[in-house]
Amino acid sequence: MPICYDADYIASIHFIRTLNIHLDNYIIFKQNSGCKYNKEYTVLKNFICFLKNNHIKSYPEINEEFVLSWINRSKKIKGITKNHYLRRVKYFFKYLRRIKEVSYNPTEKIEPFKTTPFIPYIYTIEELKKIFSEIRSRMNYPGNYYRGLTYYTMFFLVYALGLRIGEALRIKIKDINFKEKTIFISKSKFYKERLIPFSKCVHNKLKLFRNERLKRFPKINSAPLFINDWGTICNKSNVERRWSVIVRDCGIKTRNGKTPRIHDLRHSAAT
């Protein structure tokens, strides 16, 4: 026998399909404006999936209460993340109003969630010496010289130049001008580009690593500076985990007993 679906189910499927089309158009609109919007797309996809699971079949059903139920669906979600979710839905509905798809915005009366101010961890000079000494010692492990040198140079660059880890991972060989002692940073936060000068100390460490890197992987100048043992770009999550392991092994913890982040190097460089 053929499967028969009720009218509400069919209406919900049609509504979700239409909403997905609007979402795709919204993301294209934002990306054409110079925004990446990859994370925002993931959040809104999750929101639409929540609508689908609750069999929502029309816009009026998406009210303030429903949006809050989605935002508060887990007790583990922090206030800052809830505000991020709230903004994503708010801007999406602003777009829907602009194209006259809806006449209201369910987030208009929702107050921002309370957040706890984040205080970054500032590494002391002694802690940094201990961390980099630990990394150098691991370079002596059999077969671990190149990997250790990669992490040592990468982390040193993040600290010495106050870089974000993503910026360091995107550096290409051609971005480094050893004669002028500058590094070109592209695709940084807010899509800005900048030229950063570096010291003689950074120059020497970079040159040592670059020579070792080209000896193992003699690729063209457009290739990433930091690549792993297999010749591919280092994964950000793996790099952050490696930093956490090293810092934890050095016995360094925050006041809350947590392991300081690699991004705290950037804050430490600024103090």
Side-chain angles (χ1 to χ4, degrees), residues 125 169 176 224 240 250 267:
I125 297 298
L169 292 175
I176 306 172
E240 290 172 333
C250 290
H267 296 288

Side-chain angles (χ1 to χ4, degrees), residues 36-241:
K36 292 181 181 178
Y37 250 64
N38 296 327
K39 292 181 180 178
E40 289 80 355
Y41 179 74
T42 302
V43 170
L44 289 171
K45 268 291 187 183
N46 182 284
F47 177 65
I48 292 177
C49 184
F50 188 76
L51 299 177
K52 180 181 178 181
N53 292 339
N54 284 273
H55 310 293
I56 300 300
K57 55 186 179 298
S58 63
Y59 287 113
E61 295 178 73
I62 310 174
N63 52 27
E64 180 180 323
E65 183 180 354
F66 185 85
V67 173
L68 285 172
S69 70
W70 171 69
I71 294 175
N72 294 315
R73 64 194 182 280
S74 172
K75 294 181 179 179
K76 295 181 179 180
I77 302 177
K78 297 180 179 179
I80 191 170
T81 304
K82 290 180 179 181
N83 286 330
H84 172 67
Y85 291 167
L86 178 61
R87 285 194 299 272
R88 298 289 70 81
V89 176
K90 182 177 183 178
Y91 296 151
F92 181 45
F93 267 83
K94 279 187 175 182
Y95 168 80
L96 292 174
R97 287 186 71 174
R98 193 180 303 122
I99 64 173
K100 303 187 185 309
E101 181 69 10
V102 297
S103 58
Y104 75 107
N105 191 326
T107 67
E108 284 180 344
K109 295 181 180 180
I110 301 178
E111 293 292 329
F113 294 87
K114 293 182 180 180
T115 60
T116 303
F118 177 77
I119 302 175
Y121 183 83
I122 305 299
Y123 295 95
T124 65
I125 297 298
E126 290 71 25
E127 288 173 337
L128 290 170
K129 287 180 179 178
K130 189 175 183 180
I131 291 169
F132 285 106
S133 176
E134 176 66 23
I135 299 172
R136 280 196 300 270
S137 70
R138 298 184 185 206
M139 289 165 56
N140 298 323
Y141 295 173
N144 201 47
Y145 177 74
Y146 173 74
R147 185 184 307 168
L149 184 61
T150 299
Y151 285 127
Y152 179 85
T153 309
M154 184 191 304
F155 297 150
F156 185 84
L157 209 59
V158 168
Y159 174 66
L161 303 184
L163 299 179
R164 300 176 180 88
I165 186 60
E167 293 173 341
L169 292 175
R170 285 191 293 271
I171 294 174
K172 295 180 173 58
I173 295 175
K174 68 176 182 178
D175 294 333
I176 306 172
N177 187 326
F178 285 99
K179 185 177 180 180
E180 300 292 334
K181 294 189 180 67
T182 58
I183 294 182
F184 176 70
I185 302 297
S186 62
K187 299 179 181 178
S188 64
K189 194 173 184 179
F190 307 120
Y191 320 105
K192 294 181 179 180
E193 298 176 341
R194 63 189 193 276
L195 196 64
I196 302 179
F198 54 79
S199 66
K200 181 67 175 179
C201 178
V202 174
H203 174 278
N204 294 340
K205 292 182 185 297
L206 267 177
K207 204 154 194 177
L208 173 66
F209 174 73
R210 187 201 63 171
N211 293 341
E212 184 66 27
R213 150 79 169 77
L214 292 177
K215 192 187 304 180
R216 289 174 175 258
F217 304 102
K219 292 189 176 183
I220 56 177
N221 285 339
S222 60
L225 174 66
F226 297 113
I227 55 178
N228 56 32
D229 294 340
W230 298 276
T232 58
I233 188 170
C234 294
N235 179 273
K236 183 182 176 183
S237 297
N238 290 340
V239 170
E240 290 172 333
R241 277 194 295 269

